[in-house]
Amino acid sequence: YMTNFYKGNVKNLIKVQTMKEAVAKAYQFTDQEYGCVLSPAAASYNAYKNFEERRKDYKNWVEKGS
């Protein structure tokens, strides 16, 4: 996963291994007035059966506040 954080013209790319890590980094580095774009760099067939399973995992970690 590559998680992108934008503040003005600054872009930070943080490489993580799991969805849990991606959501945790998003909470850690994104100020409340900004947004964060989670953009998997590739298909995640090795981690999830399909996009619906990936979506459920993402939603789970966001709801938990990672």
Side-chain angles (χ1 to χ4, degrees), residues 1 40-54:
Y1 298 95
S44 44
Y45 299 118
N46 62 335
Y48 301 101
K49 288 187 252 180
N50 53 44
F51 73 92
E52 292 160 335
E53 187 177 271
R54 183 174 66 190

Side-chain angles (χ1 to χ4, degrees), residues 31-51:
D31 294 332
Q32 286 186 343
E33 65 269 13
Y34 293 95
C36 174
V37 176
L38 173 65
S39 180
S44 44
Y45 299 118
N46 62 335
Y48 301 101
K49 288 187 252 180
N50 53 44
F51 73 92

